[in-house]
DNA sequence: TGAAAAACATGAATTTTATCATATTTTTGT
DNA sequence: ACAAAAATATGATAAAATTCATGTTTTTCA
């Protein structure tokens, strides 16, 4: 774990609008700021390991993270992503269980570590924050249920199409409609729950069908309605 | 929704040891008791519908419940079960989202409805209860992640073996080692994420391999270590 | 910059799983 | 108790998806 000489300043953990910390009072913000420590992580670094215990949570100040489990045959399964403003590690902390997933950076990332004591203090003293944590957990639980049904019932082609739409929604696109996250074909396979070769084949199918454009790891969704139809989602 | 003339007495919601309500003070128990209403549900009744809003949670006083989503092709996917002492509906309530799943009874069941106001009061006033809710949600989230990895990576045979072990763990066995829940082959398929015929075939395979004994919907696990090996789980 | 490694790509063969068809058994409701 | 419906069972076929093999391109880093 590389550590920069100077801690990175981070207002995300303190008060960013989209983060769970946004409703903190100035006093609470400075309290959290005093106890947290921010670090820089290079691309591909592991932040924490499935099975370990954790003594605080991380807030993403900048960058992108994948959370994954390793299945029985050593294959990675990506469970979710975290980006600027998101927190990771809270599940294990609040359940008092070992980490259910590992976390690794997808690009250069700065993270703030917020110790357990600080988080529990916030939960105990700030009903608004407490309710946000409850809301976050229950929302995630609903999302997980959706994923379960889709994995159980949808064919690979539909799941891949949906994954692309979700990636677009999660990481947004630049001015050229390119999804703002770079994943290998293998990583995409590890979201969809399929073989790398299947992803490669289906991506080039999608390309031939003018649903997407691909350039290396850049993916642009050309025809959203058509891809949505392929994904077989109606919401 | 059949309603008995007399509300069923229910101490589960109030103070049972295994329920999330176990740490309530006598005052809190009587407060909850005053506002809750208990009802009887016949086998196969739907308690609530995916997509609807809910204005409270249900606590299972007696009986067994399946929570399920309906996939795109109308196929049911069982997400989890609830039994005596468990609560259902809290996810939708706390996330302030529509219900992500439907709930239906698997046998005669008595449920207590606890209104939202009462639950929120408990969360706000009882830090212990609040922490239990956080713990419950984050535990469930970890379980969901496990299911996702297994659905994505394991073949049907392994998933069915594991499902049987989980059913045994969840519902326990009687003195004859028979799992204490009666599910149709179709329902088992809707847990495993496979076709009903596949479950039928694999169950008779397991029978031939002396892993289980089957009599109608009664399943007895004869050889736990062997079935665990088939399930490919090591925990 | 150039060699090695990793990632991407594609065809062929195989395995897994689902679907369809059709009995047989069990359950349900009157 | 009996007819109808639902659930279970089983074989044959088809479809979906993986695996393996092999070649090409891209990336990495010494």
């Amino acid at each position: 774990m590389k550590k920069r000489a100077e801690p990175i300043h981070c207002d995300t953990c303190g008060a960013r609008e989209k983060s769970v910390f946004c409703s903190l009072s100035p006093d609470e913000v400075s309290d959290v700021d005093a106890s947290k420590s921010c670090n820089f992580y290079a691309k591909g670094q592991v932040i924490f390991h499935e099975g370990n215990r954790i003594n605080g949570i991380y807030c993403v100040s900048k960058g992108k993270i994948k959370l994954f489990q390793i299945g029985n045959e050593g294959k990675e399964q990506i469970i979710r992503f975290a980006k600027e403003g998101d927190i990771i590690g809270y599940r294990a902390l609040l359940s008092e269980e070992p980490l259910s997933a590992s976390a690794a950076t997808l690009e250069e990332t700065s993270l703030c570590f917020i110790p357990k004591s600080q988080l529990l203090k916030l939960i105990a003293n700030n009903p608004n924050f407490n309710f946000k944590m409850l809301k976050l957990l229950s929302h995630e639980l609903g999302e997980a249920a959706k994923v379960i049904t889709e994995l159980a019932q949808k064919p690979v082609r539909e799941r891949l199409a949906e994954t692309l739409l979700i990636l677009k929604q999660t990481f947004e696109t630049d001015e050229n409609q390119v999804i703002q996250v770079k994943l290998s074909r293998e990583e995409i396979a590890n979201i969809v729950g399929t073989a790398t070769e299947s992803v490669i084949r289906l991506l080039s199918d999608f390309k031939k069908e003018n649903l997407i454009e691909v350039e290396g790891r850049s993916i642009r969704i050309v025809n959203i309605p058509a891809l949505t139809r392929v994904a077989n989602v109606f919401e």
Side-chain angles (χ1 to χ4, degrees), chain A:
Chain A
M1 183 159 63
K2 280 187 220 170
K3 203 168 193 173
R4 276 202 178 161
E6 294 293 314
I8 295 159
H9 173 70
C10 155
D11 64 356
T12 303
C13 315
R16 268 297 185 76
E17 209 170 314
K18 56 183 167 182
S19 102
V20 76
F21 299 105
C22 75
S23 64
L24 265 52
S25 73
D27 268 9
E28 287 171 324
V29 169
S30 65
D31 202 21
V32 173
D33 277 352
S35 66
K36 79 178 168 21
S37 67
C38 299
N39 289 301
F40 174 81
Y41 290 76
K43 180 181 170 178
Q45 268 193 286
V46 174
I47 299 155
F48 53 64
H49 266 288
E50 184 179 352
N52 286 354
R53 296 275 170 178
I54 195 170
N55 202 30
I57 66 169
Y58 294 87
C59 176
V60 184
S61 170
K62 197 161 177 20
K64 297 178 178 85
I65 290 166
K66 63 176 174 184
L67 286 114
F68 59 96
Q69 296 188 328
I70 301 298
N72 271 336
E73 316 300 321
K75 195 185 175 190
E76 171 182 303
Q77 181 64 37
I78 296 180
I79 301 295
R80 72 175 183 102
F81 293 99
K83 59 177 199 293
E84 207 172 313
D86 291 337
I87 53 176
I88 60 173
Y90 54 90
R91 197 217 62 82
L93 201 80
L94 294 172
S95 69
E96 298 184 297
E97 294 165 343
L99 286 155
S100 61
S102 305
T105 58
L106 294 168
E107 57 184 48
E108 295 201 349
T109 293
S110 357
L111 292 180
C112 306
F113 182 80
I114 298 167
K116 180 175 184 174
S117 58
Q118 194 60 47
L119 190 81
L120 295 184
K121 204 191 286 178
L122 276 179
I123 288 173
N125 300 336
N126 185 333
N128 201 328
F129 178 82
N130 177 44
F131 193 63
K132 275 196 181 166
M133 287 305 303
L134 287 167
K135 211 165 171 174
L136 174 61
L137 284 164
S138 41
H139 174 76
E140 290 295 314
L141 197 51
E143 294 298 306
K146 266 195 217 168
V147 172
I148 287 171
T149 299
E150 271 150 19
L151 275 171
Q153 300 194 359
K154 284 185 166 189
V156 172
R157 184 179 152 93
E158 291 181 21
R159 299 209 303 271
L160 176 59
E162 179 158 17
T163 294
L164 295 179
L165 292 166
I166 289 172
L167 287 174
K168 179 183 145 66
Q169 200 190 345
T170 306
F171 294 107
E172 297 173 335
T173 54
D174 65 6
E175 65 283 1
N176 300 316
Q177 299 295 316
V178 174
I179 297 170
Q180 290 302 287
V181 67
K182 299 278 168 282
L183 299 170
S184 67
R185 305 293 189 265
E186 189 178 359
E187 283 172 317
I188 296 174
N190 295 343
I191 310 169
V192 174
T194 189
T196 307
E197 294 95 325
S198 298
V199 168
I200 292 170
R201 272 181 251 269
L202 285 167
L203 280 181
S204 67
D205 287 353
F206 288 174
K207 210 171 152 185
K208 277 174 207 148
E209 297 166 38
N210 291 314
L211 301 170
I212 61 171
E213 280 172 14
V214 181
E215 230 185 272
R217 294 188 181 178
S218 293
I219 298 174
R220 174 195 333 225
I221 300 181
V222 177
N223 191 338
I224 296 177
L227 193 65
T228 306
R229 252 173 281 129
V230 171
N232 199 8
V233 282
F234 313 98
E235 295 183 72

